[in-house]
Amino acid sequence: MAKKIEKEMSFLDHVEELRWHLVRSTIAVFIFGIVAFIMKDFIFNKILFAPKNADFVTYRFFCKVSNFFGTDGLCIDDLPFTFQSLDMAEQFSVHIWTSITVGFIIAFPFIVWEVWKFISPGLYEKERKGARSFIIVSSFLFFIGVLFGYYVVTPLSVNFLGNYSVSDMVERNIKIGSYIALVRSSMLASGLIFELPIVMYFLTKMGLVTPEFLKKYRKHALVLVLILAAVITPPDIISQIIVAIPILLLYETSIYISKVVVKQELKKEKENA
């Protein structure tokens, strides 16, 4: 057999094993969360509040693109809203949840490693040797997604929603919790969406997805991608297209990965026949 023989474990043994993987992952998130909690000024003033400034790198880039085409339609001088805290514990709550989120993002490679250790007993020996590649690729895609959420999705959302107004009589005083929740959700959602190729890899390994299936429902996937882009971005077509393009590229990458996995499985079946 190609699989390495492991000592059989009962259902409760698997639950116990999973519990310790979750405990170690939680401890890692907690440790990095403490570091993030201590670095409050840097995380909030230099990172999270940066998209509020008109000179943020993304706004400057769009302005240069706009100037290249002889217009200043994408340039902004100011984001006309201010932050406010209306609840007694709001700032402390925002600080806690932001620290946990940052802890999760930083600890993501370790969490992936724990996931790998849990599922590896059910894999082939050759597949177990790919642990390093799995962790590197998964972490790389996640961090790229987080950066995409921070530098693309967040500025588009902040710019649109921060400038949107139904009447000049309404003052733009944004609750700090609402703003931070927008930034957090944009980064985490994008990071997890960029894990699509990894998800498709394992679904193909389990026989739940095939390249033919992904190709057949490509048009349906396009509709779902556009809906997803509409959910995580402002309701303007340019923002939706900007977000939809990388997701579609990830989907096409997933089709290629699925093809590779199917070929590998067929090759193994021939070798074992």
Side-chain angles (χ1 to χ4, degrees):
M1 288 180 63
K3 288 187 178 182
K4 183 179 178 180
I5 303 299
E6 299 283 350
K7 183 176 71 173
E8 291 189 5
M9 298 174 63
S10 66
F11 174 76
L12 292 179
D13 290 332
H14 283 293
V15 172
E16 179 68 13
E17 186 72 15
L18 176 61
R19 184 174 74 88
W20 281 107
H21 288 301
L22 294 176
V23 168
R24 287 191 291 268
S25 298
T26 302
I27 291 174
V29 173
F30 181 73
I31 292 174
F32 286 114
I34 292 176
V35 176
F37 188 87
I38 296 172
M39 300 177 63
K40 175 182 66 175
D41 292 338
F42 176 78
I43 290 176
F44 280 90
N45 295 328
K46 300 296 183 181
I47 298 179
L48 297 180
F49 290 150
K52 165 66 172 69
N53 300 322
D55 62 346
F56 187 62
V57 59
T58 303
Y59 304 138
R60 287 188 277 121
F61 172 77
F62 285 139
C63 186
K64 289 181 180 179
V65 172
S66 182
N67 292 333
F68 178 80
F69 290 101
T71 180
D72 58 354
L74 298 179
C75 298
I76 61 174
D77 298 323
D78 184 34
L79 290 170
F81 66 88
T82 57
F83 298 124
Q84 61 178 348
S85 179
L86 300 179
D87 300 324
M88 182 66 73
E90 182 177 17
Q91 294 191 59
F92 180 72
S93 176
V94 166
H95 191 188
I96 291 293
W97 282 109
T98 299
S99 299
I100 294 174
T101 302
V102 174
F104 174 80
I105 292 174
I106 298 176
F108 187 80
F110 180 80
I111 296 173
V112 172
W113 167 245
E114 289 293 337
V115 172
W116 179 265
K117 287 198 298 183
F118 179 71
I119 66 176
S120 61
L123 301 177
Y124 291 95
E125 184 64 27
K126 291 182 180 180
E127 295 169 340
R128 297 185 191 184
K129 295 179 181 179
R132 181 178 300 178
S133 300
F134 171 74
I135 295 172
I136 292 175
V137 173
S138 298
S139 301
F140 175 77
L141 289 174
F142 178 76
F143 289 137
I144 290 296
V146 168
L147 292 175
F148 180 79
Y150 178 71
Y151 284 107
V152 179
V153 179
T154 296
L156 291 174
S157 301
V158 170
N159 182 34
F160 178 84
L161 298 175
N163 282 286
Y164 188 84
S165 176
V166 295
S167 172
D168 293 336
M169 298 178 63
V170 180
E171 294 185 2
R172 297 184 180 92
N173 298 318
I174 309 300
K175 290 181 62 177
I176 183 177
S178 176
Y179 173 84
I180 296 299
L182 172 66
V183 179
R184 285 201 311 253
S185 60
S186 297
M187 295 170 63
L188 283 179
S190 298
L192 295 176
I193 288 172
F194 272 60
E195 292 294 304
L196 180 62
I198 301 297
V199 174
M200 290 302 176
Y201 171 83
F202 282 104
L203 290 179
T204 304
K205 292 287 292 183
M206 292 186 291
L208 300 177
V209 168
T210 63
E212 291 72 22
F213 175 85
L214 295 176
K215 290 179 180 178
K216 178 180 178 181
Y217 291 97
R218 181 186 273 117
K219 294 181 180 179
H220 300 78
L222 174 60
V223 175
L224 290 176
V225 166
L226 293 176
I227 294 175
L228 179 62
V231 170
I232 65 176
T233 61
D236 65 276
I237 190 65
I238 296 178
S239 299
Q240 293 174 14
I241 292 175
I242 291 174
V243 173
I245 288 175
I247 299 178
L248 290 174
L249 292 176
L250 288 170
Y251 187 84
E252 294 300 322
T253 303
S254 299
I255 295 177
Y256 173 76
I257 292 175
S258 183
K259 286 181 180 179
V260 173
V261 172
V262 169
K263 288 182 180 180
Q264 291 177 345
E265 293 298 317
L266 291 175
K267 183 178 179 181
K268 289 175 184 177
E269 292 180 0
K270 290 181 180 180
E271 292 176 351
N272 296 330

